[in-house]
Amino acid sequence: MPTRITISTAALLLAATLTACGGSDNGDNKADEKPKTSSAPAASKKATEVDCAAEDIDQKTWNTHCSDEVDDAASAGPEEPLALGKPAETIGDQGIGVLEITPTTVVYTKEGGGGTSQNGTFVFVTVKARATTGAAAEVPAPITGNGWQWIAPGGEAIGWGGGDSVSVQTESFDSTGAIQPGSFQWRSAVFDLTAAQAKGGTLQYLDGDGAAYRWKIPAADTGPQITEVKKQLAG
């Protein structure tokens, strides 16, 4: 009987030892396992940390991460005005066709073309408008809210039709209607301004899409059509 007890006790001790070892192994395995982590957030964070001003940035990276910054900066303020005589590609009235708009000459006068300035000075700007695609195009009429504006040195915007500007007529610079493909017309933008408003300024044109184009206008008569404009205003 004592021998049987000894064997049973040994068997129990062996089973307990094996169970303990098995539990210890499972615990060790879990302890050795490293938590799974995703590298995606880190990569995403790294991808957004781009120095857009770096000289060695490649074009693909710049297009992906920096182009929006340039667009935002461009929308924050107006672009530099063009020089008198420089063309701009614009959209025609109601979004139809494309017009190359080029202010070419500016003349300052008290009277002419059948009108007398109510505010002191007429600013007469000649404009060449050329259709550049296969569709006829028109300059937006002032009633649409687009067309020509004068931005005075102090920033005041003066629209077409003020004072006696609508009375000013010339023979060669008053074309109207649609401009056919492959052709151009001579037109004019006339403003009736005070002496302070007429000390040079910015000519602004809003095209058929409402996009703004600007030209810096000198404070004195300038351009290739000065003689012709004065002749027609005097006649």
Side-chain angles (χ1 to χ4, degrees):
M1 179 66 74
T3 303
R4 185 178 300 170
I5 292 173
T6 301
I7 294 173
S8 298
T9 301
L12 290 172
L13 290 172
L14 179 60
T17 301
L18 292 173
T19 301
C21 291
S24 176
D25 290 343
N26 290 339
D28 291 343
N29 290 339
K30 290 182 179 180
D32 291 340
E33 290 181 0
K34 294 182 179 179
K36 294 181 179 181
T37 59
S38 173
S39 60
S44 175
K45 182 178 180 181
K46 183 177 180 181
T48 58
E49 295 176 353
V50 175
D51 181 5
C52 296
E55 295 183 0
D56 59 347
I57 188 170
D58 62 86
Q59 188 66 48
K60 181 178 180 181
T61 302
W62 191 93
N63 288 342
T64 302
H65 299 285
C66 305
S67 59
D68 289 343
E69 294 185 11
V70 173
D71 292 341
D72 292 342
S75 63
E79 295 181 0
E80 287 296 317
L82 297 169
L84 183 68
K86 295 294 184 182
E89 291 287 326
T90 72
I91 301 300
D93 191 27
Q94 299 183 15
I96 301 173
V98 177
L99 288 174
E100 181 186 79
I101 298 294
T102 313
T104 60
T105 297
V106 59
V107 170
Y108 296 85
T109 183
K110 168 66 178 178
E111 58 185 9
T116 299
S117 173
Q118 295 179 3
N119 297 316
T121 304
F122 283 135
V123 177
F124 188 101
V125 183
T126 63
V127 178
K128 183 179 181 180
R130 183 171 69 91
T132 61
T133 65
E138 295 191 46
V139 172
I143 195 173
T144 66
N146 295 329
W148 295 103
Q149 290 183 328
W150 177 268
I151 311 298
E156 181 183 4
I158 297 99
W160 173 91
D164 196 32
S165 60
V166 294
S167 298
V168 179
Q169 304 291 323
T170 60
E171 180 181 349
S172 304
F173 302 102
D174 292 331
S175 296
T176 59
I179 302 171
Q180 299 302 317
S183 67
F184 69 88
Q185 293 179 356
W186 282 107
R187 299 181 175 228
S188 61
V190 185
F191 305 92
D192 192 340
L193 307 176
T194 66
Q197 294 168 340
K199 292 181 178 180
T202 301
L203 184 66
Q204 177 168 273
Y205 176 76
L206 301 178
D207 73 356
D209 278 351
Y213 300 85
R214 302 175 179 87
W215 290 264
K216 192 65 177 178
I217 305 300
D221 296 352
T222 305
Q225 286 95 12
I226 292 177
T227 301
E228 185 61 28
V229 169
K230 289 185 174 182
K231 178 180 177 182
Q232 293 191 27
L233 289 175

